[in-house]
Amino acid sequence: GNDQIAAVGDEDEETTEARRWIEQLKAPNRSGGGSSSAGAASPVSTRDDSHHQACVALVTLFVHSPAKKSCLITEHAIIALMEILEQGMEGGSDGNISQLKAQVAAMILINQVSRADPNFQEKLCLVGVLPLIVQLGKSAGKPSCKLAGESDSGVEKRRIAGAEQLLAEVVRFVAEICRPDSSGLALQMF
């Protein structure tokens, strides 16, 4: 109650910003409510865009203030990142572009905070990120089924490019975990 209010009053601007973006990451599915016109973005697309925006903002914040990445643990944001990564796997490799962008941004964020930080790597692995990311790499690496004549569409090309970028981020994560100076516990989990 009041202790949390006092703690918020004592934190610096960067911590407040990190918490705000983390809350956006953790935001549940929004149904959007109200009218839905044919041109309006779907609630899922809006949520994915919001998650993408939050991940990009957090990456930028953590580049400038690496000490703030501990907020991901203290604010329970790792679970939200895992949920973003899982969403695309539920729908198979035919996920929408917004969903792929959110997944790529989540992987970039995970890679940025775990780079050369064995302690953070351990925490990620202990909550189950490693098997999820390996599974994500498997699903991102599978070619999707295409309808006749669809291979030349711009949407299909963007989706393939997004899947390739996602796979590249998965490979970066695995390579970082396998470095000799990585967490011994994370290596054992492989």
Side-chain angles (χ1 to χ4, degrees), residues 61-113:
L61 178 68
F62 297 154
V63 164
H64 297 294
S65 303
K68 301 301 177 195
K69 69 183 181 181
S70 65
C71 289
L72 286 176
I73 299 295
T74 60
E75 298 296 318
H76 312 288
I78 300 302
I79 302 302
L81 288 170
M82 291 173 65
E83 289 172 355
I84 292 168
L85 295 176
E86 286 175 334
Q87 287 171 2
M89 294 188 332
E90 293 167 0
S93 59
D94 294 328
N96 67 46
I97 302 298
S98 294
Q99 193 174 64
L100 265 173
K101 283 175 50 178
Q103 287 178 302
V104 169
M107 278 304 308
I108 290 170
L109 177 58
I110 288 170
N111 283 334
Q112 197 259 341
V113 298

Side-chain angles (χ1 to χ4, degrees), residues 123-171:
K123 289 176 182 175
L124 288 172
C125 290
L126 286 171
V127 295
V129 168
L130 186 59
L132 174 63
I133 289 176
V134 169
Q135 185 61 38
L136 184 66
K138 287 179 184 179
S139 67
K142 291 179 185 174
S144 68
C145 298
K146 297 178 204 142
L147 300 173
E150 188 182 66
S151 62
D152 293 330
S153 78
V155 171
E156 180 65 14
K157 288 178 182 177
R158 286 195 313 266
R159 194 192 57 70
I160 290 170
E164 288 173 350
Q165 188 177 6
L166 182 59
L167 187 56
E169 292 301 327
V170 167
V171 168

Side-chain angles (χ1 to χ4, degrees), residues 30-36 43:
R30 294 188 185 105
S31 63
S35 66
S36 63

